[in-house]
Amino acid sequence: MPGFELFGAEEKKEVNDVLETGIYMRYGFDGPRKGIWKAKELEQALTERFNVKYAQLTSSGTTALTTAMAALGIGAGDEVIMPTFTFVASFEAVLSVGATPILVDVDDTLTLAPDAVRAAITPKTKAVMPVHMCGSMADMDALLDICKDYNLLLLEDACQSTGATYKGKALGSIGHAGTFSFDFVKTITCAEGGAIITNIEDIYTKADAFSDHGHDHLGGADRGADGHPHFGYNFRISELHAAVGLAQIRKLDKFLAIQRNNKQILKEALGAIPEVTFRRLPDPEGDSATFLSFFLPSAEAAKAATAAIKAAGLPAFYWFDNNWHYFRKWNHFKEGATLHPFAAQLAKAMEVYKTKEFPASDALMSRCISFPISLAWTDEEVRGRAEKLIAAIKSAL
Ligand SMILES: *Cc1c(COP(=O)(O)O)cnc(C)c1O
């Protein structure tokens, strides 16, 4: 699953290049950096690998999402439709620009249910933000249709799905903009980092400036001469982090091949249990295969199976009880527990979450288990794990 499992000489070499020059910042210092521009190089690599015109690196996936929201002009009074199943960073970004997160149900793809999106549209809706959870994709054709019908922005949170595709296109490259996370546990990592990808020049130009205090980067070698068309923040990535990412992106195809091979073996083995049903993949070929996600017939069985898998010494994610990835346990969100007061309009809009329930999402998430796919296993180890997994699941049925 995470790229850090295969750190090696390549990452050291790239980081060393930066250490040698002593210039750890991505902008400026044109002379002393001796031609070493790791962040620029990684941005170039991202555009090539994901077949997009523009890529902007940031300090994290969260700041990539925040930057994308700002570049798309999403702000106070705007509603952003997003799923109940995601990492908290998705709503953090919406709230950080003062917009209103509108949570809607997920379906058996573990991503936005298109019908639920349609039902949630109001005159205030500005954007739809699918989250491509656990390595696989949302139903993008259905979401594209909705966004066209209602003239909405489509922002893909592809933070967990770097390298996955939908009908041949990279996740993140299909909407107006998409984001990746390169934090320590993602498919490829910079240790900390993120990126926005887009084919729209205006979005890129704004993201480039917003993530660096508004610098338009037109002042040449003198940062002091840069203009500031609008304000921004310091969401910059460092050269050291970009260097790690540069080594990692060159290994992405290798990571994907290993994950897909390992997942295939596990999925076939689990297919022998009639009570197991798998997460629906709108385009199975595009799966990045970071997780094998499946459903058991009842919440009780899923809970018991999770316990049995863990008791067998294997990892398992039961998101329904997880504090960070599913609405049910987001008490701070439900209570609107913000340190700095929300604008009155947003505070009022957030009230709904104090009592809101999502029975359709609960019915799926309470039966769902995700098994992480490691890059480090041999085929033999995968088969050994498959046997243990089968035994643990059967013991819970
Ligand atoms: C990891 C993640 C993010 C945020 O990324 P960070 O780099 O950790 O800030 C956003 N959305 C999802 C779905 C994620 O999994």
Side-chain angles (χ1 to χ4, degrees), residues 328-391:
R328 191 171 85 100
K329 293 275 193 142
W330 292 344
N331 295 330
H332 60 332
F333 176 86
K334 294 181 188 183
E335 295 302 323
T338 177
L339 289 180
H340 50 95
F342 289 141
Q345 182 185 30
L346 178 58
K348 190 157 172 279
M350 290 295 289
E351 286 286 319
V352 65
Y353 293 112
K354 290 202 164 119
T355 52
K356 182 107 180 148
E357 299 202 24
F358 291 95
S361 297
D362 284 350
L364 285 159
M365 297 312 300
S366 63
R367 297 188 295 108
C368 178
I369 299 173
S370 293
F371 188 74
I373 308 294
S374 172
L375 294 170
W377 302 328
T378 61
D379 273 7
E380 209 173 306
E381 284 172 316
V382 186
R383 283 178 219 288
R385 278 171 174 75
E387 273 172 34
K388 283 189 186 173
L389 201 51
I390 289 171

Side-chain angles (χ1 to χ4, degrees), residues 58-65 85-93 129-134 157-161 179-186 191-195 325:
T58 56
S59 53
S60 71
T62 311
T63 54
L65 279 168
F85 177 46
T86 181
F87 183 51
V88 291
S90 308
F91 72 67
E92 288 169 355
M129 180 168 65
V131 184
H132 303 296
M133 283 301 275
C134 304
D157 180 340
C159 287
Q160 291 198 7
S161 295
T179 62
F180 296 130
S181 165
F182 305 129
D183 79 21
F184 197 58
V185 294
K186 296 303 205 291
E192 298 285 1
H325 290 84

Side-chain angles (χ1 to χ4, degrees), residues 59-81:
S59 53
S60 71
T62 311
T63 54
L65 279 168
T66 300
T67 301
M69 302 258 169
L72 290 166
I74 297 168
D78 294 331
E79 294 181 351
V80 178
I81 295 177

Side-chain angles (χ1 to χ4, degrees), residues 288-345:
S288 72
T290 54
F291 284 92
L292 175 61
S293 298
F294 54 92
F295 303 101
L296 293 183
S298 67
E300 294 67 37
K303 253 179 219 189
T306 305
I309 295 168
K310 288 185 176 167
L314 300 182
F317 291 94
Y318 182 61
W319 307 112
F320 193 63
D321 279 345
N322 184 296
N323 283 347
W324 297 94
H325 290 84
Y326 183 53
F327 172 79
R328 191 171 85 100
K329 293 275 193 142
W330 292 344
N331 295 330
H332 60 332
F333 176 86
K334 294 181 188 183
E335 295 302 323
T338 177
L339 289 180
H340 50 95
F342 289 141
Q345 182 185 30

Side-chain angles (χ1 to χ4, degrees), residues 8 12 16 32 41 51 67 108 122 174 178 229 270 310 319 325 330 355 369:
K12 282 186 194 155
N16 253 328
E41 227 185 304
N51 197 23
T67 301
D108 59 350
T122 75
I174 300 164
L270 251 62
K310 288 185 176 167
W319 307 112
H325 290 84
W330 292 344
T355 52
I369 299 173

